[in-house]
Amino acid sequence: RSLPEIMDPMSRLGCFAGLVLVVLALCGSRAPANLQTQIARIKPHTAVSPASAALRRIHNLGCVARGPSRVARRRTHVAAASDSDRAEVPEGSVTAIILAGGVGKRMGAAIPKQYLDLNGKPIAAYSLSTFAQMPEVGELVVVCLEDWQYIFEEEHEALPDAFKKPLVWARPGNERQDSVYNGLQAARDDALLVAIHDSARPLIDVQDARNCMRDGATVGAAVLGVPVKPTIKEVNEDGTVAKTLVRSKLWEVQTPQCIKPGLLKEGFDYVKAHNLEVTDDVSVIEAIEKPVLITKGSYTNIKVTTPDDMSVAIKFLGESADATVSATPSVA
C-alpha cells in the first residue's frame, strides 16, 4: 500500500499543512495569520512535526538576522564606562574653560553670585584653584567681564608655582552657548579636551572631574551627572499632569562637561546654521547625533544660585574640612 493510504486522515492533513508552510517560508512569504491559526489547531500527536520545527528555525533565523534590538543599541550610548574602559588623559592636555559671566538674578545680591564670599573666598575662585591643581589641565580659560578678572588673578597668584598654568581670558556672550563658544575660540589649538565648568559650582570633586575627562577622551563627549531622586512629572499648560517620567532614566546634569574641541566646533557649526538654542554644552553634541556619556558625579557638586544653596555649600565645605582634618595623621 502507498504511504498516503497508510496515514490516517488527520496525519495526512497535518503533513499537508506543514508542507504548505515550508513552501511559503522558502518563497520568502509568511503564511496568513488566519491560516497559521487554523494549522495550530491541528495536533494529531503531542510531538512537534519536522515541518513545524523547520519553520520555527527559519522564523527564528529571520529574527536574529534583523540585528540588535533598539534597547541594545541605545545602551551603548548611555552606559557609563568602567574604569578599565576609560582612556588615559595625558598631563597638560586639557583646557579648562571656567564660565563666570552670569549675572545671578536668582540670588538677589548686588554682585553676580559667583563672586560672593564663601568661607572667606569668592565662589568662582574655588573652581580655578581645583582645576589648576589637576595635572591633566594645561591651560585655564576664564570667561568673565574685565571688571572681575582681578578675582582670578589674585587666586592664581596665590597658588604654588607648580599649579600655575597659563591664564587666558574670554568675554561672555548673550547666552551660555555664546560664552562657551568664545571660551573655545580662546583655547589653544592642540588641546585634547576642553572641560567646561560653571564657576558657581565651587565643590567639584577632583576625582569626579578626572573620570569625566577620561570618559570624554574615550567617547568624545562626557558630562557629570547624578541620578534624579524625586519623582518628576510632565505638566500641561493648564496645570494638569501629562505623565510621570520614568525616574530610573533621569539624570541631573552637572559640570564639568568634557568634549573634544573638534567635535564641539562641529556641533557649534550645526547649531549656528540651524539657529538652535541649547542650555548646556553636550546638547550641542546631541544636536549632531553623536554619543554623550554620563559620568556619575556627586550630589555635593551643587550650583549656588539661591541663598539656600549658599547655606548648603557652607555646610558641605565644613564637612569637607572636617574630613580632611580627620584624615591627616597626627605628628607625635
Side-chain angles (χ1 to χ4, degrees):
R1 299 173 65 183
S2 62
L3 182 61
E5 292 176 347
I6 297 174
M7 296 174 62
D8 60 82
M10 288 299 294
S11 296
R12 272 183 263 170
L13 181 58
C15 183
F16 174 75
L19 182 60
V20 169
L21 287 180
V22 170
V23 171
L24 288 173
L26 292 176
C27 293
S29 303
R30 291 184 179 178
N34 61 342
L35 178 59
Q36 291 188 28
T37 301
Q38 294 299 320
I39 293 170
R41 294 174 181 170
I42 304 172
K43 297 181 180 179
H45 302 288
T46 56
V48 178
S49 69
S52 298
L55 182 62
R56 289 182 186 179
R57 286 195 293 270
I58 293 169
H59 178 69
N60 291 339
L61 181 61
C63 291
V64 173
R66 284 197 291 271
S69 68
R70 183 179 298 178
V71 173
R73 289 197 297 272
R74 190 178 298 159
R75 190 180 298 122
T76 62
H77 293 281
V78 302
S82 64
D83 214 44
S84 59
D85 294 332
R86 290 177 169 133
E88 293 296 331
V89 178
E91 185 172 324
S93 64
V94 178
T95 292
I97 299 177
I98 299 173
L99 302 178
V103 295
K105 293 179 181 178
R106 282 176 288 180
M107 183 63 75
I111 63 174
K113 60 181 180 296
Q114 62 269 27
Y115 303 121
L116 293 174
D117 182 89
L118 178 63
N119 277 15
K121 188 160 76 170
I123 291 174
Y126 286 89
S127 299
L128 182 85
S129 176
T130 297
F131 284 100
Q133 294 178 49
M134 294 185 67
E136 295 87 349
V137 175
E139 178 185 47
L140 300 164
V141 175
V142 178
V143 183
C144 71
L145 294 173
E146 186 174 0
D147 291 346
W148 298 105
Q149 282 186 193
Y150 75 93
I151 295 286
F152 303 96
E153 290 171 338
E154 290 178 357
E155 180 67 20
H156 190 261
E157 185 62 31
L159 292 170
D161 289 342
F163 296 152
K164 289 181 179 177
K165 313 288 175 68
L167 190 57
V168 182
W169 307 103
R171 299 298 173 228
N174 293 329
E175 304 293 339
R176 177 197 171 91
Q177 67 193 67
D178 302 318
S179 298
V180 173
Y181 181 81
N182 294 344
L184 178 63
Q185 295 300 106
R188 70 186 198 272
D189 293 333
D190 62 344
L192 171 68
L193 289 170
V194 290
I196 305 159
H197 186 67
D198 291 325
S199 63
R201 293 185 185 271
L203 303 173
I204 174 63
D205 179 77
V206 169
Q207 190 56 52
D208 288 345
R210 179 169 290 122
N211 289 342
C212 191
M213 291 175 185
R214 293 182 64 186
D215 284 346
T218 303
V219 177
V223 54
L224 271 188
V226 290
V228 168
K229 290 182 178 181
T231 298
I232 307 294
K233 294 184 182 290
E234 183 179 319
V235 180
N236 297 315
E237 291 183 1
D238 63 358
T240 59
V241 173
K243 61 181 176 179
T244 301
L245 303 181
V246 181
R247 184 169 55 189
S248 61
K249 294 183 178 181
L250 300 178
W251 287 65
E252 179 184 345
V253 171
Q254 305 175 342
T255 65
Q257 304 192 13
C258 302
I259 309 168
K260 291 185 176 180
L263 189 61
L264 186 55
K265 289 176 182 177
E266 179 186 346
F268 269 122
D269 289 342
Y270 181 88
V271 166
K272 287 178 178 289
H274 293 79
N275 196 30
L276 301 178
E277 289 188 9
V278 296
T279 56
D280 74 332
D281 316 310
V282 293
S283 294
V284 175
I285 309 306
E286 294 169 32
I288 56 175
E289 299 183 348
K290 297 296 176 67
V292 175
L293 203 60
I294 287 281
T295 305
K296 190 171 183 180
S298 303
Y299 288 99
T300 54
N301 185 24
I302 64 171
K303 186 174 183 179
V304 180
T305 56
T306 67
D308 288 341
D309 296 332
M310 181 72 82
S311 300
V312 173
I314 291 172
K315 182 176 183 295
F316 283 154
L317 277 175
E319 292 175 354
S320 177
D322 291 342
T324 302
V325 170
S326 299
T328 303
S330 59
V331 179

